[in-house]
Amino acid sequence: MRERLRASRLLRWLRALPVAVPYRILRRVLRLRRDRFLFLSDSHLGFEGNMRFVRDELLLRMPGAEVVGVFKPSLNAPRPLRDVLRLPWLLATSGTIVVDDFYPIIYPLPIRRGARLVQIWHAAGAFKQVGHSRAGLPGGPVPGSDIHRNYTHVPVSSESVRKDYAEAFGIDVARVQALGVPRTDVFFDTDYVERTRRRVRSELGVSEDERLVLYAPTFRGNGQLSARSEGSADWGAIADSLGAGFRVAVRQHPFAAASAPPLPPHVLDGSTADMNDLLMATDVLVTDYSSSIFEFALLRRPIVLFVPDLTEYAGSRSFYRPFSAYATGPVVEDPSELVDALRDATVDPAALTAFLEEFCGALDGRSTQRIVDRMLLSDSTRVDVDEETVAPGSVEPTRVDGLMGLRVLAAHLTRIALSAVYAPLKLLPVQRKVVMISREHPTVPDDFTDLAASLIRQDPDVRVVMLVRMVPPGVIRKIRYAAHLLHQLYHVATARVVVVDTYAIVASVLRHRDELTVIQMWHALGAFKKFGLSILGREEGRDQRLARAMRMHAGYDIVLTSGEDCRPAFAEAFGAPLERVRVAPLPRVDRLRDPEARARTRERILEALPHLAGRRIAVFAPTFRLDGTVAVDVRALSDALEAVGIHTVVKLHPLMHADFGPEVDTGGGFSTQEMLAIADLFITDYSSALYEAAVLDIPTYFLAPDLETYLESRDFYLDYRRDLPGPIVRTVDELTTAVAADAASTEDARRFADRWVQAPVHSAAGATPCADAIATMVLETMR
């Protein structure tokens, strides 16, 4: 009961009131200071661990930054009155807030728009479960708990643990990036490691010819306030049994140090040294469920897991992987077996390499630099972003069936309600403002980002507002989305230009001022499979009655498309006169054609996924289907191509999700467009990503086992059998034969791109002619 009360959202809010109430007032009246960086911890005093590395790198890169730290040694330590008084002001004005552990006072607070809350979690890897992963377990959060959920950025140690941290913190995986762990950087400095090893061993009185064994367990209990030590082994007796040539040190977890019994005189106290430094001085690490296994693995030295309470601990705490996945050395449950395990401790190279790839793939000595660059110093100057990231796959398609009469009635009532709210808003002064709206993406799309940058370069006085939010599942969340629609209404009513990349209710349903220009910048290149008004009433289209009620795709003043041959298709899809359809390829084409941008993307991918280096890569990207299926056996495809020397990376549409097993490479969190930077060939059925592949001159193959069925349910704007830039096959065996014969060519891809993606000449690295052309068009409408 005590734990449930402690986890109560209401009680946490009451405890936070002295900070929360003034914060909510101050955030509305004080200016956000982007050069103020606030570091917070309730677990230690001062800049320690990850915080010290991040602070030092930040000040090196930005000497003028204002860095403020507010610390206390533990959760139950009283907060000084000075901190209670200054915290609301600091929280309300800091552009970036950094925490490295559980920090309960911040969770009830809404983070200001434009501010960041960065969680640089103190541990690497993903070992024992934490946060929302423990829901239902002893000490886990109660249903509806808000702990951790407001983090905007979280760096982690490898691609493979991103989903674990997203689960633990109750956030979208897009907010979690495999950028590394700052305090691991020093493990890659061999000179530093050797100097530290000699210094610490000298301080402890350990000679170079002695083998230092360090016992560093985690705490027992549900958290900092209930922590206790584990005492199954007699480390004095173990030290005696090991005899000459061995020294034993014990370092209890800081949470459990106070409850631990005193050490025998001949057992060294490891708490006198920094944990990183102590690991560098150690020859054999003995631990149980501590994340120190990840840092120590970087030294490639033996690890013994001593787990006398494994069954009990797994039942009360649990792990992110089967416990065997963490064992790169012996697992000992009986204390009497420890001495032999320590004497014989060695490294299993294969097991250690697999362990490092799984948990430490982003650790390379440059973690701090990446985190400071991408999470603390990256800036979206002059662009207001209102975004809520919704987990891809949690959003259901909006196709409607059943009770259509009621749905049509609801649509008409929605139009009336929105129009009634919108009418007085149109009396407000019009601003020099461009509003970009999307419900197609969980985060701000690159096309919006690049267009906004070009707009601001060409006209520094223009204001860009991005309203990006997917329609969420569930009635309650849809009510919240309705509130977001009201936010859209205000911005549209006071804007000069609205840019949408899919159907947007406020763009099409309402009657706007004459001076407002609505531009449809559709989210896909080219004109491939039919969409919009072209497929009303078809199996994959919308109901005609509902489309009329919601004025589907009505009211566009300008429609952008990527090539002259695409114009008739887009005119049909949007019900627009042909003269309103203009050739202007998406800004993403600039990124695709920029060799330096591709090289940077390739470097990021290979840093995160080193197993792809030196291999011939095929990217397989099947189209989105309403039933979430893939028309081919993905494992069979991957195995067949591997047999002819091709490694396959499978990239599903963000709204599709599937677990194909560990044998199938899904490329981590990188998008299809990003993966094309390392692709040697591209495989799809009906995905419009074929246009991006063509822009990059990537040979493309079409695996379409259900072509006739798809023609009936969806159909295409181009001639599928004649216009495509590569062979069409029906089976995996046919595909393998075609790939082995190099049946697709870069020349075919180039010819296809020249016809369907007519982009301005790309003059130099870093140039953005596509974004610039659209920005110029937007600004011309505002004159």
Side-chain angles (χ1 to χ4, degrees):
M1 176 62 71
R2 180 183 177 188
E3 292 295 332
R4 292 183 67 82
L5 288 174
R6 183 178 292 125
S8 164
R9 184 172 182 173
L10 175 61
L11 291 182
R12 189 164 52 256
W13 169 248
L14 292 174
R15 288 196 298 269
L17 273 180
V19 171
V21 171
Y23 166 79
R24 285 176 175 266
I25 297 171
L26 293 173
R27 69 192 285 264
R28 297 183 181 278
V29 298
L30 296 179
R31 180 174 64 88
L32 192 69
R33 291 278 305 276
R34 296 190 183 279
D35 61 344
R36 178 173 290 156
F37 298 83
L38 177 61
F39 290 74
L40 303 172
S41 177
D42 281 352
S43 302
H44 51 76
L45 287 173
F47 290 91
E48 298 180 5
N50 285 335
M51 284 192 171
R52 176 169 62 85
F53 285 91
V54 169
R55 178 204 59 184
D56 292 350
E57 179 72 15
L58 173 62
L59 290 175
L60 181 67
R61 305 289 298 282
M62 188 180 179
E66 180 186 353
V67 176
V68 183
V70 178
F71 307 108
K72 64 190 183 82
S74 64
L75 286 173
N76 56 2
R79 191 176 302 281
L81 178 60
R82 174 174 179 265
D83 288 349
V84 173
L85 295 176
R86 67 176 179 153
L87 257 181
W89 170 69
L90 289 170
L91 288 166
T93 57
S94 297
T96 301
I97 303 166
V98 182
V99 296
D100 68 348
D101 204 339
F102 182 66
Y103 197 81
I105 202 170
I106 208 165
Y107 301 131
L109 307 182
I111 303 303
R112 287 187 68 168
R113 183 184 303 174
R116 301 181 178 96
L117 176 55
V118 184
Q119 170 61 265
I120 51 172
W121 192 249
H122 54 279
F127 198 172
K128 55 184 180 287
Q129 292 187 347
V130 298
H132 294 280
S133 300
R134 300 189 63 212
L137 293 173
V142 297
S145 172
D146 60 359
I147 63 170
H148 301 301
R149 293 188 186 275
N150 54 353
Y151 302 145
T152 62
H153 298 74
V154 178
V156 295
S157 61
S158 74
E159 237 356 91
S160 67
V161 303
R162 288 177 64 216
K163 63 181 183 302
D164 301 316
Y165 278 78
E167 175 190 285
F169 297 146
I171 61 177
D172 187 84
V173 72
R175 303 188 202 178
V176 184
Q177 298 181 44
L179 301 181
V181 177
R183 63 190 180 86
T184 64
D185 286 349
V186 292
F187 287 87
F188 295 86
D189 185 338
T190 54
D191 290 338
Y192 178 86
V193 170
E194 186 55 35
R195 289 196 308 272
T196 302
R197 174 183 172 84
R198 289 196 299 266
R199 174 179 60 78
V200 174
R201 290 171 74 94
S202 175
E203 292 171 354
L204 293 174
V206 179
S207 65
E208 282 304 311
D209 59 350
E210 290 179 309
R211 206 168 191 208
L212 178 59
V213 174
L214 171 65
Y215 176 52
T218 192
F219 63 91
R220 300 302 189 273
N222 293 326
Q224 186 181 144
L225 299 177
S226 60
R228 64 185 187 280
S229 62
E230 200 290 317
S232 299
D234 183 344
W235 288 97
I238 290 172
D240 290 338
S241 299
L242 287 171
F246 283 87
R247 299 295 299 277
V248 174
V250 172
R251 180 190 177 94
Q252 293 288 352
H253 191 283
F255 291 176
S259 65
L263 297 174
H266 57 297
V267 173
L268 304 173
D269 182 2
S271 65
T272 59
D274 174 84
M275 184 60 179
N276 268 7
D277 295 352
L278 189 58
L279 291 176
M280 293 175 191
T282 296
D283 297 298
V284 181
L285 174 66
V286 186
T287 187
D288 42 18
Y289 319 109
S290 167
S291 64
S292 60
I293 61 172
F294 303 111
E295 288 89 344
F296 197 72
L298 298 173
L299 298 170
R300 296 187 173 271
R301 299 174 190 169
I303 299 175
V304 175
L305 294 178
F306 174 50
V307 287
D309 58 347
L310 178 57
T311 302
E312 176 189 347
Y313 195 91
S316 63
R317 189 64 186 247
S318 194
F319 310 103
Y320 285 105
R321 307 283 190 280
F323 187 76
S324 59
Y326 303 101
T328 59
V331 177
V332 177
E333 297 188 49
D334 188 338
S336 65
E337 299 173 3
L338 269 171
V339 173
D340 289 341
L342 293 172
R343 284 202 181 109
D344 299 335
T346 57
V347 173
D348 179 341
L352 183 58
T353 297
F355 178 88
L356 289 171
E357 288 180 355
E358 174 75 8
F359 297 108
C360 305
L363 306 184
D364 60 0
R366 293 180 290 171
S367 299
T368 310
Q369 176 185 333
R370 280 194 297 270
I371 291 167
V372 170
D373 275 345
R374 302 185 194 179
M375 292 190 169
L376 273 68
L377 294 183
S378 62
D379 193 9
S380 55
T381 304
R382 299 191 59 78
V383 176
D384 298 325
V385 178
D386 178 15
E387 93 186 27
E388 172 177 284
T389 53
V390 179
S394 68
V395 181
E396 298 175 354
T398 55
R399 182 168 180 250
V400 176
D401 52 17
L403 300 175
M404 187 54 61
L406 290 177
R407 294 176 186 271
V408 171
L409 175 62
H412 284 295
L413 293 175
T414 299
R415 284 179 55 184
I416 294 170
L418 288 175
S419 298
V421 175
Y422 188 57
L425 293 176
K426 288 191 289 185
L427 301 175
L428 295 172
V430 175
Q431 304 171 26
R432 191 167 179 77
K433 177 170 64 176
V434 176
V435 176
M436 301 183 188
I437 299 175
S438 177
R439 62 186 185 92
E440 173 72 17
H441 302 273
T443 59
V444 174
D446 290 341
D447 289 323
F448 278 12
T449 300
D450 294 348
L451 176 57
S454 182
L455 284 166
I456 292 167
R457 280 197 306 271
Q458 295 187 41
D459 184 350
D461 293 329
V462 75
R463 183 186 176 200
V464 179
V465 176
M466 299 188 198
L467 304 173
V468 177
R469 187 172 297 184
M470 297 176 78
V471 180
V475 175
I476 299 300
R477 297 180 73 184
K478 281 186 171 64
I479 292 174
R480 291 179 58 194
Y481 189 82
H484 173 68
L485 282 179
L486 298 178
H487 189 49
Q488 289 186 12
L489 289 178
Y490 163 75
H491 281 293
V492 171
T494 55
R496 290 292 308 279
V497 177
V498 173
V499 179
V500 298
D501 68 349
T502 186
Y503 168 74
I505 294 174
V506 298
S508 292
V509 164
L510 304 171
R511 302 297 181 183
H512 302 292
R513 293 172 169 173
D514 291 340
E515 60 264 43
L516 179 70
T517 300
V518 180
I519 300 176
Q520 172 60 257
M521 189 175 74
W522 191 246
H523 57 272
L525 283 174
F528 191 10
K529 54 185 179 287
K530 291 188 176 182
F531 65 95
L533 303 182
S534 298
I535 56 171
L536 288 184
R538 303 186 76 150
E539 184 178 342
E540 293 219 356
R542 303 297 183 249
D543 185 273
Q544 292 173 316
R545 292 167 293 168
L546 189 65
R548 286 194 297 270
M550 293 302 292
R551 301 190 73 238
M552 184 175 173
H553 294 309
Y556 301 145
D557 299 293
I558 299 173
V559 174
L560 305 183
T561 190
S562 61
E564 185 64 35
D565 284 356
C566 301
R567 291 180 66 223
F570 272 57
E572 176 186 303
F574 296 125
L578 188 62
E579 59 270 18
R580 293 188 186 178
V581 183
R582 304 188 190 179
V583 175
L586 294 172
R588 73 184 66 167
V589 175
D590 295 330
R591 296 191 183 210
L592 291 169
R593 298 198 305 174
D594 186 336
E596 291 186 1
R598 289 203 306 276
R600 289 193 298 270
T601 301
R602 183 180 181 86
E603 181 181 356
R604 283 196 299 114
I605 293 172
L606 296 181
E607 279 184 1
L609 307 172
H611 67 280
L612 298 180
R615 309 184 77 165
R616 195 171 178 215
I617 305 296
V619 172
F620 173 52
T623 194
F624 169 72
R625 298 166 189 265
L626 286 175
D627 60 5
T629 60
V630 179
V632 300
D633 185 331
V634 174
R635 293 188 187 183
L637 171 66
S638 183
D639 290 344
L641 290 176
E642 197 72 43
V644 294
I646 306 290
H647 181 78
T648 305
V649 176
V650 179
K651 297 306 301 181
L652 298 180
H653 187 283
L655 293 185
M656 297 171 67
H657 53 100
D659 182 5
F660 299 116
E663 301 85 3
V664 175
D665 191 344
T666 55
F670 293 99
S671 68
T672 302
Q673 182 174 318
E674 289 173 317
M675 291 305 303
L676 289 176
I678 66 165
D680 297 288
L681 55 111
F682 180 66
I683 303 167
T684 188
D685 46 8
Y686 320 111
S687 170
S688 63
L690 85 96
Y691 292 95
E692 280 91 342
V695 168
L696 291 170
D697 298 339
I698 299 173
T700 299
Y701 298 80
F702 297 88
L703 179 56
D706 60 343
L707 178 57
E708 281 71 25
T709 302
Y710 203 83
L711 281 166
E712 292 177 4
S713 65
R714 189 68 181 248
D715 204 1
F716 305 95
Y717 291 114
L718 49 68
D719 188 326
Y720 192 92
R721 293 180 174 86
R722 294 193 308 173
D723 291 340
L724 296 180
I728 301 168
V729 297
R730 299 303 188 93
T731 68
V732 170
D733 288 343
E734 290 177 5
L735 173 68
T736 306
T737 301
V739 168
D742 290 326
S745 70
T746 58
E747 291 77 15
D748 289 338
R750 189 175 301 120
R751 282 193 294 269
F752 183 84
D754 289 343
R755 176 183 177 187
W756 299 98
V757 186
Q758 293 158 7
V761 175
H762 200 86
S763 56
T768 57
C770 293
D772 293 344
I774 299 174
T776 299
M777 188 185 306
V778 170
L779 294 173
E780 284 176 351
T781 69
M782 300 173 70
R783 294 195 176 100

